[in-house]
């Protein structure tokens, strides 16, 4: 792996963590980001930062992308000025953004016509896990292509699940996020009710965290809620972005969701009240306001 040069498009929170991780493992990283701050930070780690996508395409046959939304993924990869048009035949794109399955399928189709292969990757984890190589990867694509790049995937992730065809990893990511975000929304409603009824927040958490209604995100995130800490790992604005992707996916599939629109409305309200940059557990603040209480002790 130390002899490999990896292109990295997107040097923000997750991309920046992956950048550091690869550099620490002796992998040369050639990166690009439209944010001067992110580009400067990555250069400080030791990455070679190119001013254009063309520079990455020229210098790397393996390109990892970590981008904010489907529109940016399309801008980066498709069209006459996109990365696929500039990349060399034989290049592999490892696309890790949280986007809809139709977008990654379109990227893979255009790439295949240009002699470029694509792995559909959905990741679970936050910047600290990216930095430590402790992400979880869902990977869609041919087994032979996954095997070809398994060493790199194992540098970045502690667990790799093979999901099937292109689009399957993005589908799993969105379905999982509906469950995860929904779990936090329900936990927020229930937790505030418990406190409203007179329960001590810490005692309530200690009991619920080992009870049947718990979820992984509740167990890991609600200790901070009890302390009034909403420092972002996964931002409320990103939760809303993912929920909108879920609603779009359901619409495309002509599947009538019933809970997803309610959860989306809660997160839209949280964003509109100025909580977009807080952790996605900030949805609890709407319940606190309605109940006239605060969970965190002053």
């Amino acid at each position: 792996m130390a002899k490999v040069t990896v292109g990295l498009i997107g040097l923000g929170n997750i991309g920046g963590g992956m950048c550091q991780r690869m550099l620490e493992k002796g992998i040369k990283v050639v990166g690009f980001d439209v944010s001067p701050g992110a580009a400067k930070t990555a250069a400080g780690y030791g990455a070679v930062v190119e001013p254009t996508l063309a520079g990455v395409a020229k210098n790397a046959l393996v390109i990892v992308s970590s981008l904010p939304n489907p529109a940016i993924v399309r801008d980066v990869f498709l069209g006459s000025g996109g990365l696929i048009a500039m990349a060399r035949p034989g290049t592999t794109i490892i696309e890790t953004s949280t986007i809809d399955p139709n977008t990654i399928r379109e990227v893979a189709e255009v790439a295949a016509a240009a002699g470029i292969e694509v792995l559909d990757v959905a990741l679970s984890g936050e910047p600290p896990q990216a930095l430590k190589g402790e992400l979880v990867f869902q990977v869609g694509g041919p087994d032979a292509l996954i095997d070809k790049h398994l060493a790199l995937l194992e540098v970045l992730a502690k667990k790799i699940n093979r999901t099937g065809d292109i689009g399957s990893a993005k589908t799993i990511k969105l379905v999982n996020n509906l469950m995860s975000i929904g779990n936090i929304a329900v936990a927020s409603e229930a937790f505030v009710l418990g406190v409203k009824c007179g329960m001590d927040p810490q005692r309530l958490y200690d009991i619920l965290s080992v009870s049947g209604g718990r979820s992984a995100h509740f167990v890991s995130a609600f200790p901070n809620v009890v302390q009034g800490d909403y420092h972002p790992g996964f931002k409320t604005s990103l939760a809303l972005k993912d929920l909108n992707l879920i609603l779009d996916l359901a619409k495309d599939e002509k599947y009538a969701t019933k809970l997803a629109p309610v959860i989306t409305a809660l997160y839209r309200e949280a964003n509109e009240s100025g909580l977009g940059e807080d952790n996605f557990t900030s949805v609890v603040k709407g319940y606190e306001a309605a109940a006239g209480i605060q969970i965190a002790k002053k």
Side-chain angles (χ1 to χ4, degrees):
M1 288 303 304
K3 296 180 181 179
V4 172
T5 297
V6 174
L8 183 56
I9 310 299
L11 302 169
N13 290 332
I14 296 294
M18 291 194 291
C19 178
Q20 284 185 266
R21 173 68 175 174
M22 288 188 284
L23 290 168
E24 288 172 359
K25 291 298 181 180
I27 300 169
K28 182 179 178 181
V29 176
V30 179
F32 171 81
D33 199 294
V34 295
S35 166
K40 182 178 180 180
T41 299
Y45 299 149
V48 176
V49 178
E50 291 287 340
T52 65
L53 290 171
V56 177
K58 177 182 178 181
N59 288 290
L61 283 171
V62 179
I63 299 173
V64 178
S65 56
S66 177
L67 299 166
N69 58 54
I72 293 176
V73 169
R74 289 174 181 274
D75 286 345
V76 165
F77 287 108
L78 304 177
S80 59
L83 192 62
I84 290 173
M86 295 181 283
R88 290 171 284 171
T91 296
T92 298
I93 294 166
I94 301 175
E95 211 305 298
T96 72
S97 312
T98 300
I99 58 174
D100 60 285
N102 288 333
T103 293
I104 191 63
R105 290 185 187 114
E106 183 178 351
V107 168
E109 183 178 351
V110 174
I116 296 165
E117 296 181 292
V118 172
L119 286 177
D120 164 22
V121 177
L123 61 85
S124 296
E126 297 180 355
Q129 286 74 49
L131 180 60
K132 296 176 183 178
E134 295 179 352
L135 297 168
V136 175
F137 278 179
Q138 320 298 334
V139 185
D143 282 332
L145 187 61
I146 296 173
D147 291 339
K148 180 179 178 179
H149 298 287
L150 191 58
L152 174 60
L153 297 174
E154 289 177 339
V155 166
L156 300 173
K158 66 178 180 180
K159 184 171 179 59
I160 297 164
N161 299 311
R162 302 185 188 219
T163 60
D165 295 336
I166 296 292
S168 59
K170 306 300 188 193
T171 298
I172 289 173
K173 174 67 172 179
L174 293 181
V175 169
N176 178 74
N177 279 15
L178 175 56
M179 293 174 66
S180 298
I181 298 166
N183 287 340
I184 288 297
V186 171
S188 296
E189 183 168 292
F191 202 88
V192 171
L193 176 60
V195 176
K196 179 73 170 175
C197 291
M199 286 294 302
D200 174 75
Q202 186 61 55
R203 183 185 295 273
L204 182 59
Y205 170 78
D206 291 342
I207 295 169
L208 291 179
S209 65
V210 294
S211 298
R214 72 188 184 278
S215 69
H217 280 294
F218 174 77
V219 171
S220 65
F222 258 68
N224 287 340
V225 171
V226 172
Q227 298 299 318
D229 179 3
Y230 296 94
H231 182 77
F234 180 50
K235 293 180 181 180
T236 300
S237 59
L238 293 178
L240 179 60
K241 183 266 290 186
D242 288 358
L243 287 164
N244 285 325
L245 287 175
I246 290 160
L247 292 180
D248 288 342
L249 178 62
K251 183 178 179 181
D252 288 344
E253 295 295 326
K254 297 180 174 57
Y255 177 66
T257 55
K258 296 181 180 181
L259 293 177
V262 176
I263 298 165
T264 304
L266 288 170
Y267 274 87
R268 185 178 300 111
E269 180 180 332
N271 272 265
E272 290 173 353
S273 64
L275 302 173
E277 294 302 301
D278 288 349
N279 197 61
F280 79 122
T281 50
S282 69
V283 71
V284 78
K285 293 184 180 182
Y287 288 107
E288 287 180 322
I293 63 168
Q294 281 194 315
I295 292 171
K297 296 178 180 179
K298 294 182 179 180

